Amino acid sequence: MSSSRSTPSPSGSPSGADAPVPAAAVEAATVRLRRAGCVFAEEEAALLTEAALATGGGAAALDRLVELRAVGQPLEHVVGWAEFAGLRIAVGPGVFVPRRRTEFLLALARDLLLRAPGPVPVVVDLCCGSGAAGAALAVSGRRAEVHAADIDPAAVGWARRNLGDRGQVHEGDLYAALPADLRGTVAVLVANVPYVPTADIPLLPAEARTHEPLVALDGGGDGLQVLRRVAAEAGQWLAPGGTLLVETTERQAAAAREVVRAARLTAALHHDDERAATVVTGTRPG
């Protein structure tokens, strides 16, 4: 379990006397997870037990889930969900797991949405992955027209599951996926673009580089390739006063801000020490 991921939190211990999974089986799972290198083995065993019970299984189902986790599958993929901004976001093999640090980007986006003019502001979650940001903004307390888009068909399927009837999900390459009539109307444009430099992909934790799609991680030579494409067209899609928000790293922050500034947007950097999160924003002049 890495603190950078939006890891599920156990809702309580399943190992009591009345639990369908015997306490001995939960303890055995904990030992096995600890031997596999899981730092938070006890918490993970509780989550895996909860997942086993949710499928109607018992100790045998728990054993199967522990095996998947022990061989390196992300915990979120094994249990079927990730905690993000107080929501359970459905995820599974082949989709990017939302990170806890992205909750900082979400907080900035939510604040902009609450202050956006008009009765029903338009929100777009570009490079949406599982649709976590779009789903969270859809329940932010402000009525909005929510759209999400991704180039990966698998991600689109998960995003549709997570947004349900609270938003529309489109498949395609960046803005090409969006309805043309959204041009010039978007109040909040969240684009959690891939930003890992290609040469750094082998340095990522095994959970990410092995089990998450490369298209969600690889940002090109300097990690800013997709950001350049997003920023270049953002002004055509944003409403006057609308804002683009993109997550980046502290190391890339200055260069990312210049990319946004070169697109004739008013650029700013935001950093949250607690989450180790950095966000660049670009606002279309009003």
Side-chain angles (χ1 to χ4, degrees):
M1 276 166 57
S2 167
S3 61
S4 67
R5 304 174 79 93
S6 294
T7 307
S9 298
S11 56
S13 173
S15 57
D18 296 331
V21 177
V26 180
E27 178 59 30
T30 303
V31 171
R32 189 174 181 186
L33 291 167
R34 191 174 292 121
R35 287 174 177 169
C38 299
V39 177
F40 302 100
E42 186 172 336
E43 291 87 344
E44 293 198 15
L47 284 162
L48 293 171
T49 302
E50 178 187 333
L53 294 173
T55 66
L62 173 60
D63 187 63
R64 289 192 295 271
L65 296 179
V66 170
E67 173 63 23
L68 294 174
R69 179 61 180 142
V71 298
Q73 287 201 22
L75 175 64
E76 299 86 352
H77 285 176
V78 177
V79 301
W81 57 276
E83 184 178 347
F84 181 78
L87 301 177
R88 282 194 173 191
I89 300 298
V91 295
V95 71
F96 182 82
V97 176
R99 274 36 172 187
R100 180 162 288 114
R101 62 176 173 267
T102 305
E103 292 179 353
F104 178 54
L105 180 149
L106 176 67
L108 296 172
R110 181 183 289 140
D111 183 61
L112 289 168
L113 175 58
L114 293 176
R115 295 187 285 110
V120 186
V122 175
V123 172
V124 170
D125 180 6
L126 207 60
C127 302
C128 69
S130 64
L137 289 171
V139 296
S140 65
R142 173 75 187 276
R143 185 185 173 199
E145 179 182 340
V146 179
H147 294 263
D150 203 286
I151 195 171
D152 184 355
V156 168
W158 287 105
R160 286 177 175 152
R161 178 175 175 179
N162 285 311
L163 264 75
D165 59 5
R166 295 172 297 187
Q168 299 180 48
V169 183
H170 314 278
E171 182 180 337
D173 186 16
L174 300 181
Y175 300 105
L178 299 177
D181 60 6
L182 292 184
R183 286 179 179 271
T185 71
V186 180
V188 178
L189 174 55
V190 172
N192 198 9
V193 301
Y195 54 77
V196 180
T198 303
D200 290 350
I201 295 292
L203 306 179
L204 290 174
E207 288 186 11
R209 69 174 186 268
T210 304
H211 297 284
E212 293 181 319
L214 186 62
V215 69
L217 302 170
D218 193 344
D222 62 355
L224 302 177
Q225 180 175 307
V226 182
L227 172 58
R228 290 189 181 91
R229 294 181 57 208
V230 169
E233 292 189 50
Q236 302 173 36
W237 293 86
L238 291 170
T243 300
L244 164 71
L245 302 96
V246 182
E247 188 174 278
T248 186
T249 65
E250 193 169 4
R251 183 182 69 179
Q252 297 166 309
R257 179 178 56 191
E258 290 310 307
V259 168
V260 171
R261 184 175 290 162
R264 299 183 178 179
L265 301 175
T266 303
L269 284 177
H270 313 265
H271 186 74
D272 180 68
D273 290 329
E274 182 178 349
R275 299 184 182 92
T278 301
V279 171
V280 59
T281 59
T283 301
R284 177 184 168 185

